[in-house]
């Protein structure tokens, strides 16, 4: 008896999936040529905030996974290093902030002296975030925030001598 119930439930699920797929495809076919169904972005920038720079995909991958380069600045729970790029541009400066950064629906925003410099790219172990940094300055205060929340201050950067 339970076999009949399982088969009936499975048939109902399959019928529902086929119906929804057919209705969805039919709706797209009826649309005007060149019309795309609008889709909401995964995460919207909180209202009233300045735009946060987003690196291009190849730069983001280099910031996330390049081996450590020459250290140019340090601070409590953070280090800035120069990493080579695969282009003819000058080396990139990458800031790594250590901490606990669980995956969430929005990106972490990294700020230097209260100005957003980029979106924090989490490391694979989620124990740090990394961001491409403009030329570091001694005494610049680094912080990060999640969404519209209050910024967590990491501390000041100290540029190291060459």
């Amino acid at each position: 008896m339970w076999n009949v119930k399982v088969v009936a439930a499975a048939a109902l699920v399959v019928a529902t999936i086929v119906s929804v797929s057919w209705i969805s495809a039919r709706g797209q076919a009826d649309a005007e040529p060149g019309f795309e169904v609008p889709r909401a972005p995964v995460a919207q920038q909180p209202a009233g905030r300045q735009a946060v720079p987003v690196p291009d995909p190849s730069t983001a991958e280099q910031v996330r996974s390049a081996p450590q380069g020459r250290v140019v600045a340090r601070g409590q729970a953070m280090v800035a290093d120069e990493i080579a790029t695969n282009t003819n541009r000058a080396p990139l400066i990458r800031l790594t902030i250590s901490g606990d950064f669980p995956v969430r629906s929005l990106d972490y925003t990294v700020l230097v002296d209260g100005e957003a410099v980029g979106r924090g790219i989490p490391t694979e172990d989620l124990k740090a975030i990394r961001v491409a940094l403009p030329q570091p300055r001694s005494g610049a205060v680094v912080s990060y925030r999640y969404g519209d929340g209050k910024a967590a201050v990491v501390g000041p950067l100290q540029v190291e001598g060459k």
Side-chain angles (χ1 to χ4, degrees), residues 27-47:
Q28 275 291 9
D30 290 343
E32 300 171 22
F35 175 81
E36 286 189 35
V37 176
R39 304 222 189 287
V42 173
Q44 294 181 344
Q45 187 68 20

Side-chain angles (χ1 to χ4, degrees), residues 4-139:
V4 174
K5 289 180 182 179
V6 170
V7 170
L12 182 61
V13 169
V14 169
T16 303
I17 292 171
V18 169
S19 298
V20 169
S21 298
W22 181 80
I23 291 169
S24 175
R26 186 74 195 134
Q28 275 291 9
D30 290 343
E32 300 171 22
F35 175 81
E36 286 189 35
V37 176
R39 304 222 189 287
V42 173
Q44 294 181 344
Q45 187 68 20
R49 295 279 187 192
Q50 72 247 24
V52 178
V54 179
D56 61 81
S58 73
T59 301
E61 180 57 27
Q62 289 173 334
V63 167
R64 185 188 70 74
S65 64
Q68 181 157 349
R70 183 177 69 86
V71 174
V72 295
R74 291 184 191 272
Q76 184 175 349
M78 62 185 157
V79 64
D81 62 333
E82 280 184 346
I83 57 173
T85 62
N86 56 6
T87 65
N88 292 335
R89 296 187 322 206
L92 203 67
I93 297 175
R94 168 181 65 187
L95 177 67
T96 302
I97 301 171
S98 299
D100 192 24
F101 297 97
V103 174
R104 299 170 81 177
S105 60
L106 298 174
D107 295 325
Y108 294 91
T109 302
V110 178
L111 305 107
V112 174
D113 290 335
E115 294 291 320
V117 294
R119 294 182 181 178
I121 301 168
T123 56
E124 289 180 7
D125 63 2
L126 305 177
K127 297 296 181 194
I129 55 174
R130 293 179 167 157
V131 65
L133 186 67
Q135 192 62 37
R137 179 181 60 75
S138 278

